[in-house]
Amino acid sequence: MSTSISAVHYAIRPARPAAHLFELSLTVAEPDPAGQRFSLPAWIPGSYMIREFARNIVAIRAETAGRAVALEKLDKHTWRAARVPAGAALTLHYEVYAWDLSVRGAHLDRTHGFFNGTSVFLRVHGRDNAPCTVDIQPPAEPALADWRVITALPRARGKGAAKAHGFGLYHAADYDELIDHPVEMGRFTLASFEAGGVPHDFAITGRHDCDTARLTADLARICAWQVKLFGAPAPMDYYAFLATVVGDGYGGLEHRASTALLASRADLPYPGMQGTSEGYRQFLGLCSHEYFHTWNVKRIKPAAFVPYDLAVENHTRLLWAFEGFTSYYDDLALVRSGVIGTDDYLALLGKTASNVLRTPGRLRQSVAESSFDAWTKYYRQDENAPNAIVSYYAKGALIALAVDLQLRAASGGGKSLDDVMRLLWQRFGQTGLGVPEDGIEAAVEEVGGKALARWLHRAVNGTDDLLLARLLKPFGIVWKAEAAVAAPWLGAKLAGGNGEAKLASVFDGGPAQRAGLSAGDVLVALDGLKVSASGLDAMLARRRGGEHVDIHAFRRDELMRFEVELADAPADKVSLKTAARPSTAALRLRRGWLGG
């Protein structure tokens, strides 16, 4: 079946890469006779913060049959065109500034172009369900003639249709699909693999020395395991990883058949690399996390997101499950697919537990509250964030672990969180229905009973620490929490920067706060000796808990003196080890959980 130009048609061209400007046109064959409205989303699904993408539209005009049409701006991201004659098409021409090197926005220069649809494609009000076509056009500069395109957006058929990895016509069933397929264009390394019966592409933009054969072999195992977890067939017939590598970067954003990634080039595997480095494990975990979202978030989603309202915040108390459960399964997929070993997995799990313990805010905010306030707190953190919030990613992952362990232990390995995820997939992911606010607890109750559902309710809505040491014991896993350093504790976190000992955060109830030190203070001397960021730990290592030290610090331009009573470092470093002589039952449970 051929695809012709739709009644809603877009064209996008990297018109001025050096100026970071995409040029777009949008033609509506049958505009609203009362005056057609257009708007750009204020946020992008998966990143819960109002970002005001419309601020990057630097020029916009409307026309019909070559004649100008008045265009009125109604609010920060909405425009209305004047009426046009019956039967006449309306076309908008606009430019978008693209200089956001992240997974959320758009970026363009002479090395590459990248965009999310939410940053560039205006919504046509009243035509959300109309099919769309998009003409992705190449740059005009001859030096960029070898650019290619990578996207999971379906290619059109017929005249002008894009060829594989080429410029040309693409199509989407509706606006929601249109904006859920990021596009990368430029010179990228392309590697391919198959997993779960689905072809996958991995595109790498940026200088690198990646061993793509190893990367794709590892990802094939991880992706295949996830498809098997939920059950074939996979919900997409093609999947694309779009990775931009830089000197120092980390991030990912999920889409229905692709993910955009930002990574440090040093984290990629290189030819001849032995073992699995910490950076590579982290990168594989990021890929695994975004891939798991293909099911959990993109298709199993809160009722508050069905449909998305991209003009305002969409509040839900369930991000602890959608991001937290995904954060549990991302690393679990690595060990259960055999890409990493048990010891490596336990190290990753211990790191997650440590990160939660080092956040005083976990004792103030529940993960349900953290989820609801993601828009104003988690995504807009300030110097007091460690004291005020808990990560629904990290603690949500630990809650998922606790539910999984309890299900497995109570059933002798017969039931697990996998059963809960498959139930959610069948009931919500495959039907398109949104998960109600009590839907996760209801699914856990159906699989594990009322007592476990009550436990989950308390864990999600309370602030108590999870008793994971007790839950891990039946699996032959030993939990140990100790101080990260032998030196006494100042109770503050230093900011990265130019080497000065500047306080980024001061922890509630810690020595620094009790002495009156505040975030932003720059430490200059301890007991009369100069302090630097790199030397502070060594100076503290020569003291003991309970000892008093004299600290001079600048607050703004004022020099102040503080007497600080140091404390012993808290036991917030968690290590997990397999027991030396586990029972047969413990081995059976552990193998069912981690494989091997």
Side-chain angles (χ1 to χ4, degrees), residues 318-330:
L318 292 179
L319 294 181
W320 58 268
F322 290 95
E323 292 294 352
F325 281 24
T326 302
S327 295
Y328 171 60
Y329 273 102
D330 56 18

Side-chain angles (χ1 to χ4, degrees), residues 393-416:
Y393 285 86
K395 189 172 181 182
L398 297 184
I399 289 173
L401 166 68
V403 171
D404 199 10
L405 296 178
Q406 290 178 83
L407 282 169
R408 291 176 182 277
S411 65
K415 294 180 180 179
S416 71

Side-chain angles (χ1 to χ4, degrees), residues 66 119 128 144 154 173 185 214 220 231 241 261 278 316 366 378 472 485 490 539 569:
S119 291
D128 293 327
L144 309 182
M185 59 178 71
R214 175 169 182 183
F241 291 90
L261 304 168
E278 182 179 351
T316 175
S366 70
Y378 188 80
L472 286 162
V485 294
L490 186 61
M539 296 177 78

Side-chain angles (χ1 to χ4, degrees), residues 34-91:
Q36 182 62 59
R37 295 188 181 211
F38 305 88
S39 65
L40 202 62
W43 63 283
I44 182 170
S47 183
Y48 307 108
M49 179 178 173
I50 297 297
R51 298 190 182 273
E52 315 292 15
F53 295 119
R55 75 186 190 278
N56 292 317
I57 295 180
V58 297
I60 186 168
R61 61 184 177 86
E63 67 173 22
T64 183
R67 296 194 300 270
V69 173
L71 194 62
E72 178 187 7
K73 192 167 187 179
L74 303 179
D75 58 33
K76 60 188 177 182
H77 53 219
T78 308
W79 292 260
R80 180 175 59 205
R83 298 180 183 182
V84 300
L90 174 66
T91 299

Side-chain angles (χ1 to χ4, degrees), residues 239-586:
Y239 193 91
F241 291 90
L242 281 57
T244 298
V245 296
V246 293
D248 184 21
Y250 182 83
L253 190 64
E254 70 275 4
H255 297 274
R256 66 180 64 189
S258 61
T259 182
L261 304 168
L262 185 68
S264 299
R265 61 176 57 88
D267 289 346
L268 300 179
Y270 55 86
M273 185 176 81
Q274 300 297 310
T276 306
S277 68
E278 182 179 351
Y280 184 42
R281 283 197 300 271
Q282 177 178 263
F283 180 69
L284 288 175
L286 174 65
C287 294
S288 178
H289 182 99
E290 304 307 334
Y291 195 76
F292 197 84
H293 275 319
T294 305
W295 294 267
N296 195 38
V297 162
K298 296 312 300 182
R299 291 168 175 85
I300 310 169
K301 62 180 66 174
F305 293 171
V306 183
Y308 293 110
D309 183 347
L310 297 178
V312 297
E313 297 92 338
N314 294 189
H315 292 286
T316 175
R317 288 178 166 80
L318 292 179
L319 294 181
W320 58 268
F322 290 95
E323 292 294 352
F325 281 24
T326 302
S327 295
Y328 171 60
Y329 273 102
D330 56 18
D331 289 337
L332 188 63
L334 306 189
V335 66
R336 290 178 71 175
S337 65
V339 172
I340 66 173
T342 297
D343 289 343
D344 284 340
Y345 173 71
L346 293 178
L348 291 170
L349 195 57
K351 185 176 180 180
T352 299
S354 299
N355 288 339
V356 173
L357 284 179
R358 290 169 184 165
T359 307
R362 78 188 192 281
L363 303 175
R364 285 194 166 187
Q365 186 189 50
S366 70
V367 290
E369 293 168 334
S370 179
S371 299
F372 192 86
D373 290 335
W375 303 87
T376 53
K377 292 188 177 182
Y378 188 80
Y379 270 86
R380 303 175 78 172
Q381 295 187 25
D382 59 18
E383 67 283 346
N384 193 50
N387 298 321
I389 67 174
V390 66
S391 168
Y392 52 77
Y393 285 86
K395 189 172 181 182
L398 297 184
I399 289 173
L401 166 68
V403 171
D404 199 10
L405 296 178
Q406 290 178 83
L407 282 169
R408 291 176 182 277
S411 65
K415 294 180 180 179
S416 71
L417 189 61
D418 298 353
D419 298 301
V420 176
M421 298 310 302
R422 283 189 283 264
L423 176 62
L424 292 170
W425 171 239
Q426 294 161 8
R427 189 160 296 166
F428 300 104
Q430 293 182 324
T431 64
L433 298 174
V435 179
E437 292 295 288
D438 63 352
I440 306 298
E441 291 178 22
V444 168
E445 180 176 335
E446 189 167 335
V447 174
K450 291 183 181 295
L452 182 57
R454 286 194 296 269
W455 178 92
L456 177 61
H457 182 82
R458 292 192 301 270
V460 166
N461 293 283
T463 58
D464 292 340
D465 285 331
L466 306 174
L467 302 178
L468 293 174
R470 177 175 59 82
L471 298 179
L472 286 162
K473 189 174 182 180
F475 293 78
I477 304 295
V478 179
W479 167 292
K480 183 179 181 181
E482 58 188 345
V485 294
W489 187 54
L490 186 61
K493 179 181 178 181
L494 294 183
N498 58 6
E500 65 182 9
K502 184 176 183 178
L503 302 185
S505 297
V506 173
F507 299 130
D508 261 354
Q513 189 187 73
R514 290 197 301 268
L517 284 159
S518 300
D521 290 350
V522 179
L523 311 189
V524 294
L526 189 152
D527 285 345
L529 296 176
K530 184 179 178 180
V531 169
S532 66
S534 59
L536 179 60
D537 285 344
M539 296 177 78
L540 292 175
R542 304 175 76 91
R543 272 73 176 178
R544 295 189 300 274
E547 189 173 339
H548 289 251
V549 294
D550 194 48
I551 289 180
H552 282 80
F554 275 106
R555 179 170 300 169
R556 299 178 294 276
D557 60 347
E558 299 179 38
L559 183 63
M560 299 183 176
R561 175 185 172 276
F562 303 89
E563 184 179 346
V564 181
E565 181 182 354
L566 300 174
D568 291 330
D572 57 10
K573 180 184 178 182
V574 175
S575 60
L576 301 176
K577 303 290 183 183
T578 54
R581 290 184 292 275
S583 66
T584 301

Side-chain angles (χ1 to χ4, degrees), residues 148 150 165 188-194 198-205 208 210-217 219-220 238-243:
R148 296 186 292 169
I150 178 78
H165 307 124
F188 46 79
T189 301
L190 187 65
S192 302
F193 64 95
E194 183 273 336
V198 175
H200 293 64
D201 278 340
F202 199 102
I204 306 175
T205 296
H208 67 88
C210 180
D211 181 349
T212 56
R214 175 169 182 183
L215 175 62
T216 53
L219 285 176
Y238 166 75
Y239 193 91
F241 291 90
L242 281 57

Side-chain angles (χ1 to χ4, degrees), residues 5-12 23-32 35-38 59-72 79-85 87-95 122-124 127 133 137:
I5 300 298
S6 294
V8 176
H9 175 69
Y10 300 81
I12 182 167
E23 183 178 273
L24 291 100
S25 66
L26 164 56
T27 299
V28 184
E30 299 177 1
D32 187 338
Q36 182 62 59
R37 295 188 181 211
F38 305 88
I60 186 168
R61 61 184 177 86
E63 67 173 22
T64 183
R67 296 194 300 270
V69 173
L71 194 62
E72 178 187 7
W79 292 260
R80 180 175 59 205
R83 298 180 183 182
V84 300
L90 174 66
T91 299
L92 293 189
H93 298 279
Y94 57 104
E95 291 180 313
L122 284 163
R123 171 193 168 207
V124 182
R127 306 299 295 274
T133 49
Q137 301 174 356

